Amino acid sequence: MTNLETFDMKFFNSFLLTALLSFIAGIYVSYWWFFALVAFLVAVLVHQKGYKAFFAGFLALFILWFLLAFWMDLANEGVLSAKIASILPLGGSKWMLMIITAFIGGLVAGFAALSGSYLRSSSSKKVI
């Protein structure tokens, strides 16, 4: 089996759609939680097993939020993140703040995608 045969295109499409649509939604919609709705809808449309949907949503938002936090950190020369990291019990580590921020966003998107996957699988089963 080659690497292309073992590569899961549904996972990649779900990951890419979640990240891209969440980024676009973040530009045009001012609600921070809107990415969870995007992850939910992508998981409903691109059906996968629950753990794959969770991991695709988690990974997409973890990377997206980390990159956005890093970009914002560069934009203000690290002043804001250093101050927030000193307020929180992080020992002043702005990197830990970015990782925790990305982890929380990833968890929300992952559970939203898991819910979408379960909704899709429950609606496909016939009820007697």
Side-chain angles (χ1 to χ4, degrees):
M1 222 185 265
T2 65
N3 286 339
L4 290 176
E5 290 176 36
T6 60
F7 184 73
D8 192 1
M9 282 306 284
K10 281 187 177 183
F11 178 83
F12 180 73
N13 290 338
S14 179
F15 166 79
L16 197 60
L17 274 173
T18 302
L20 184 64
L21 293 177
S22 294
F23 181 74
I24 292 170
I27 293 173
Y28 294 108
V29 180
S30 61
Y31 304 117
W32 71 268
W33 49 265
F34 203 74
F35 69 90
L37 183 62
V38 169
F40 179 83
L41 292 175
V42 168
V44 169
L45 295 175
V46 182
H47 183 59
Q48 302 180 81
K49 291 184 178 180
Y51 71 94
K52 286 185 179 181
F54 176 85
F55 192 61
F58 177 85
L59 194 62
L61 259 293
F62 183 87
I63 292 171
L64 178 66
W65 270 27
F66 184 82
L67 291 175
L68 288 174
F70 182 69
W71 182 42
M72 289 178 196
D73 185 59
L74 288 178
N76 64 26
E77 298 175 359
V79 174
L80 182 61
S81 60
K83 286 184 180 183
I84 292 173
S86 67
I87 292 172
L88 297 173
L90 301 175
S93 173
K94 63 183 184 178
W95 292 105
M96 187 59 87
L97 177 67
M98 286 187 262
I99 289 171
I100 290 173
T101 300
F103 186 74
I104 291 171
L107 279 179
V108 172
F111 283 122
L114 182 66
S115 299
S117 175
Y118 283 164
L119 177 72
R120 170 81 182 249
S121 64
S122 70
S123 65
S124 66
K125 293 180 182 175
K126 294 183 180 185
V127 178
I128 298 174

